[in-house]
Amino acid sequence: MGERLDGRVAVITGGAAGIGEATARLLVEHGARVVIADRDEDRGRAVAAELGDPARFAPTDVTSEADVEGAVRSAVDGFGRLDIMFNNAGIIGVTGPIGEIGLGDWTHTVDVLLHGVFLGTKHAARSLVAQGGPGSIISTASIAGLAGGLGPHAYTAAKHAVIGLTKSVANELAPHGIRVNAIAPGSTATPMTAAASFGDPGRTAETAELMAGASPLGYATLPEDIAAAALYLAGDDARNVSGHTLVVDAGHTTAGLTPGRFNQ
Ligand code: NAD
């Protein structure tokens, strides 16, 4: 395997499962050290233990500023620095018609999906600027962040905002050599979509089969596909890429951004 990230340190929120877990594994394969920051302590500790010395676990709820700050501190205290922040933790959140969404459910969804990204970006930026740069901040948006009809309302609103925040902060941090980008996955076979499709987060293989059947390219988007995009944006191959949203969706949006109407 290549050594593109040798010596670099990443914090990965939502690193205990799905896209975040696949990214933690790929970054370690490429020589990075990673802090897995997740609210799922059992799974997060298990993944970190499996990855060994290059990995640590930091119990983190991304809606808590103290937790997110603690995850960044865990990278700096444990590995000596921070180079890469992957704001990836997420939930589907509240679904349903707009007239029936409760404010509390709406707020919780936006807390996780947007405020979590804000907090990760804020504390990573502080650390990276204090180090004198450079650095890479990456956030997981969604193709639902590009148009309506591709996800529930709160999810769609929050993912649009993640893309807006990415562009805005990329502009501020460019003079520090800090790049800020987003990834917009299409439907990806993870515990999240397995739970939505089958009511069972473990049925990712069947979820991938379903997705492959509906995929323009003929195969499902896997967490490893999104991890590969994160690796690219994290490393020097992307040294001139900032403020960008990289779509990884097996071609779903090639026919336009609203191929279907999301079933609320
Ligand atoms: P997943 O459910 O498989 O994994 C998400 C991880 O985030 C879990 O480990 C979970 O414990 C953690 N998490 C959830 N809420 C958290 C919180 N408040 N604090 C800390 N950790 C928290 O989901 P996934 O499919 O890997 O999703 C990862 C990201 O990708 C999310 O932002 C999601 O919106 C986005 N995304 C997923 C898809 C998809 O089809 N799977 C498509 C587009 C975007």
Side-chain angles (χ1 to χ4, degrees):
M1 268 298 163
E3 296 178 325
R4 283 188 287 170
L5 298 180
D6 255 2
R8 301 207 195 157
V9 177
V11 171
I12 301 176
T13 72
I19 290 167
E21 179 187 349
T23 304
R25 292 180 186 282
L26 189 66
L27 266 52
V28 166
E29 262 180 52
H30 282 74
R33 290 165 292 168
V34 299
V35 174
I36 293 169
D38 204 290
R39 67 175 179 184
D40 184 338
E41 293 217 22
D42 291 346
R43 212 174 149 124
R45 286 191 198 284
V47 173
E50 202 193 311
L51 290 172
D53 285 346
R56 295 165 66 88
F57 175 71
T60 308
D61 184 326
V62 295
T63 65
S64 156
E65 182 154 17
D67 282 7
V68 175
E69 195 174 3
V72 169
R73 202 179 321 111
S74 169
V76 174
D77 291 351
F79 293 132
R81 54 185 297 107
L82 177 74
D83 301 284
I84 300 151
M85 181 80 197
F86 188 26
N87 298 305
N88 166 77
I91 54 173
I92 292 175
V94 65
T95 59
I98 193 69
E100 289 172 23
I101 297 175
L103 180 59
D105 292 336
W106 173 276
T107 303
H108 175 66
T109 305
V110 176
D111 260 352
V112 176
L113 291 176
L114 175 59
H115 300 160
V117 171
F118 154 63
L119 291 172
T121 303
K122 170 181 172 177
H123 288 285
R126 281 188 173 179
S127 187
L128 293 169
V129 168
Q131 258 172 219
S136 173
I137 299 173
I138 306 159
S139 301
T140 309
S142 167
I143 58 170
L146 301 170
L150 297 170
H153 295 307
Y155 188 91
T156 298
K159 294 297 190 181
H160 273 75
V162 166
I163 290 172
L165 181 67
T166 297
K167 292 177 190 169
S168 184
V169 180
N171 183 258
E172 178 192 328
L173 296 182
H176 298 277
I178 300 165
R179 299 179 296 103
V180 188
N181 293 288
I183 301 172
S187 286
T188 306
T190 66
M192 176 189 280
T193 44
S197 304
F198 296 105
D200 178 354
R203 292 172 72 176
T204 50
E206 288 152 280
T207 305
E209 266 175 46
L210 261 187
M211 287 175 178
S215 159
L217 281 175
Y219 41 82
T221 301
L222 301 177
E224 289 74 17
D225 294 310
I226 312 304
L231 173 65
Y232 165 67
L233 291 171
D236 294 340
D237 286 350
R239 67 181 187 159
N240 266 335
V241 180
S242 196
H244 182 64
T245 297
L246 180 52
V247 174
V248 183
D249 71 344
H252 274 285
T253 53
T254 51
L257 284 173
T258 50
R261 210 144 184 230
F262 185 79
N263 179 7
Q264 303 298 342

